[in-house]
Amino acid sequence: MIEPSILRHGKSLLVLALTVLLLTGCGRDRSDLEQWVAETLQRPPEPIEPIPTVRTPDVIAYEAGNLPDPFLSNMRDPDGQAEQGLAGGPQTGPRPDLNRRREFLEQYPLDTLAMVGSIEISDTAFALVSDFDGTIHRVQAGNYMGQNHGRILNISESSIELLELVPDGTSGWMEREAQIALSDNRPQQR
């Protein structure tokens, strides 16, 4: 059997011999490399493409400063009195009360609210509505819910009927009926 110290000493000698062989390979004749570098330096350089000129855009002055802004939904006449639609006539029809304090359930879209039950107290019908977080809220006719100014018109045992005010696309508003049906996924009683 071979001694472990001799085996280790032999491995060290083998690594040293391989290193010396690799380094001697680096010391070969490099005359062909030096000749190529000298020839390359003697050639004239190739022309460099010129930098493209930057075209400055034509300046156009905006001259419609006194015209009404087409992006405003409600435009006023020069006196600031009457609201007008895009056609220029006075705006008529339904409008939301923007000064009304918004109710809690108006922050949620209608499709994220679910009717989970109904109760009647002193001849007044109430609906139980679950919001996105699962919190149950009690609402009655006249309350608002949904993000389109939806006012509750009627509550039955199986649904909530609402009337929403949505933009009509011509700076006015239109009424739209909506309904939330009693959810099949009612919470289980414990």
Side-chain angles (χ1 to χ4, degrees):
M1 197 156 181
I2 301 175
E3 288 283 323
S5 62
I6 295 174
L7 191 57
R8 267 185 270 152
H9 185 62
K11 283 183 183 179
S12 299
L13 285 176
L14 181 62
V15 169
L16 182 63
L18 286 174
T19 305
V20 169
L21 283 174
L22 287 174
L23 288 176
T24 56
C26 293
R28 289 192 179 167
D29 184 23
R30 294 183 297 200
S31 62
D32 58 342
L33 177 61
E34 291 171 357
Q35 181 184 357
W36 178 82
V37 169
E39 289 174 3
T40 305
L41 290 175
Q42 293 297 324
R43 281 187 271 168
E46 294 181 11
I48 299 175
E49 291 182 27
I51 298 174
T53 58
V54 178
R55 234 183 91 215
T56 54
D58 297 332
V59 177
I60 299 173
Y62 180 74
E63 297 175 1
N66 59 351
L67 295 177
D69 187 350
F71 300 105
L72 289 177
S73 62
N74 290 329
M75 294 179 271
R76 299 191 178 272
D77 65 3
D79 298 333
Q81 298 295 325
E83 290 186 8
Q84 297 179 356
L86 286 180
Q91 184 180 14
T92 60
R95 282 183 272 178
D97 180 7
L98 300 178
N99 295 325
R100 176 183 59 82
R101 185 176 178 180
R102 298 193 47 103
E103 296 183 23
F104 184 80
L105 290 178
E106 288 185 90
Q107 66 183 318
Y108 300 103
L110 277 184
D111 61 351
T112 63
L113 301 174
M115 179 181 179
V116 293
S118 63
I119 56 173
E120 189 173 321
I121 302 173
S122 302
D123 295 331
T124 303
F126 294 93
L128 302 175
V129 177
S130 174
D131 65 17
F132 182 75
D133 298 324
T135 305
I136 306 294
H137 304 271
R138 184 179 74 176
V139 295
Q140 63 184 11
N143 286 136
Y144 288 83
M145 58 193 287
Q147 295 177 331
N148 291 320
H149 311 281
R151 185 172 44 89
I152 299 174
L153 298 176
N154 187 31
I155 296 174
S156 69
E157 291 181 7
S158 60
S159 67
I160 303 170
E161 296 174 14
L162 299 110
L163 186 65
E164 295 183 308
L165 289 175
V166 294
D168 67 0
T170 60
S171 75
W173 297 85
M174 66 181 207
E175 295 178 338
R176 177 176 68 186
E177 294 180 2
Q179 186 176 35
I180 299 178
L182 183 63
S183 174
D184 292 334
N185 299 328
R186 288 175 280 205
Q188 300 295 322
Q189 293 183 354
R190 296 180 189 190

